[in-house]
Amino acid sequence: QITLKESGPTLVKPTQTLTVTCTFSGFSLSTHGVAVGWIRQPPGRALEWLALIYWDDDKRYSPSVKSRLTITRDTSKNQVVLTMTNMDPVDTATYYCAHSDLVRVAEGRSGGMDVWGQGTTVTVS
Amino acid sequence: EIVLTQSPGTLSLSPGERATLSCRASESVSSSYLAWYQQKPGQAPRLIMYGASSRATGIPDRFSGSGSGTDFTLTISRLEPEDFAVYYCQQYGSSLWTFGQGTKVEIK
């Protein structure tokens, strides 16, 4: 059973750096085709895809926040970490991590982000 | 990056009615790598449809998806009380994934 759980500060000050951690179980980020992504959702607003890290350590970032984001993994701890610099009140949101399996996607057996964490709420003030 | 535009923003329907949600992409979505998610208040999104037309595990057959290229549709044939929620489309066919802005299906 795949599970993911986000953790991090609930409150950060403007200009500070946010670090949120996704701790997962039920899969390995070293397995071919596996990816973990970060998505955020400001209060009352839409989902926004932020970043993705692949099994081979390849990384992708949303152009709108690319200059402020870094996504890393620690395969020994089964964790993915997202850092976002220069936080602003508009970055107040619930931050989710989610699993994807690109092998299953290519085989037509899955797609997108199939398992999500519960999210962690971050307020910038 | 591919921009996804969902319509309508809000759909007001009664239980038992049919819901038709649209998702239009700014460019063709590769391999129909288009997913739909359902989100209820206070909950994380849940994958309900992938590959434009394949239901995720445990999703009832009143949900169906169709489309290709730039135009995609999610249909709920007969709305059940638990189907009232916000629905998002997402494309994962390009190297940069994107979401639509969502359609809220509310009880009329």
Side-chain angles (χ1 to χ4, degrees):
Chain A
Q1 179 191 7
I2 291 174
T3 65
L4 306 98
K5 187 173 184 178
E6 306 86 350
S7 59
T10 57
L11 182 66
V12 298
K13 296 184 185 302
T15 75
Q16 286 187 335
T17 294
L18 171 70
T19 299
V20 284
T21 300
C22 176
T23 302
F24 56 84
S25 64
F27 67 95
S28 170
L29 196 41
S30 299
T31 300
H32 179 85
V34 174
V36 172
W38 283 96
I39 307 96
R40 71 178 176 180
Q41 185 173 39
R45 299 187 63 185
L47 302 170
E48 179 185 12
W49 177 81
L50 295 176
L52 197 63
I53 187 166
Y54 294 92
W55 76 97
D56 58 0
D57 209 33
D58 193 13
K59 300 161 188 177
R60 295 286 184 267
Y61 297 100
S62 169
S64 63
V65 287
K66 181 177 181 178
S67 63
R68 301 169 52 208
L69 289 180
T70 303
I71 188 170
T72 59
R73 63 178 185 168
D74 186 331
T75 53
S76 66
K77 293 182 178 179
N78 281 350
Q79 291 181 333
V80 172
V81 176
L82 183 76
T83 61
M84 180 179 287
T85 61
N86 194 24
M87 292 291 284
D88 183 272
V90 300
D91 298 312
T92 294
T94 298
Y95 287 76
Y96 296 100
C97 62
H99 165 274
S100 184
D101 186 332
L102 301 183
V103 170
R104 288 173 55 87
V105 169
E107 294 174 347
R109 297 189 291 127
S110 185
M113 318 196 92
D114 54 5
V115 184
W116 293 59
Q118 63 191 21
T120 186
T121 300
V122 178
T123 301
V124 184
S125 179
Chain B
E1 63 177 14
I2 297 177
V3 176
L4 299 179
T5 302
Q6 292 186 239
S7 61
T10 302
L11 206 46
S12 298
L13 296 167
S14 301
E17 290 194 294
R18 181 185 188 90
T20 303
L21 289 65
S22 174
C23 176
R24 179 162 290 176
S26 60
E27 56 189 270
S28 184
V29 176
S30 174
S31 303
S32 292
Y33 281 173
L34 192 288
W36 291 90
Y37 300 85
Q38 178 192 69
Q39 187 180 34
K40 297 179 180 179
Q43 296 183 16
R46 176 175 69 148
L47 177 70
I48 60 171
M49 199 75 60
Y50 63 88
S53 60
S54 297
R55 281 186 298 276
T57 303
I59 302 303
D61 61 6
R62 63 179 180 272
F63 288 88
S64 63
S66 63
S68 64
T70 61
D71 288 295
F72 299 88
T73 300
L74 175 71
T75 301
I76 311 171
S77 59
R78 288 177 58 85
L79 283 164
E80 297 288 340
E82 61 267 27
D83 299 336
F84 291 92
V86 180
Y87 293 83
Y88 294 94
C89 59
Q90 181 210 21
Q91 66 79 23
Y92 50 99
S94 70
S95 62
L96 305 178
W97 297 7
T98 50
F99 287 92
Q101 82 277 21
T103 291
K104 182 179 182 180
V105 179
E106 66 175 22
I107 299 176
K108 185 175 181 180

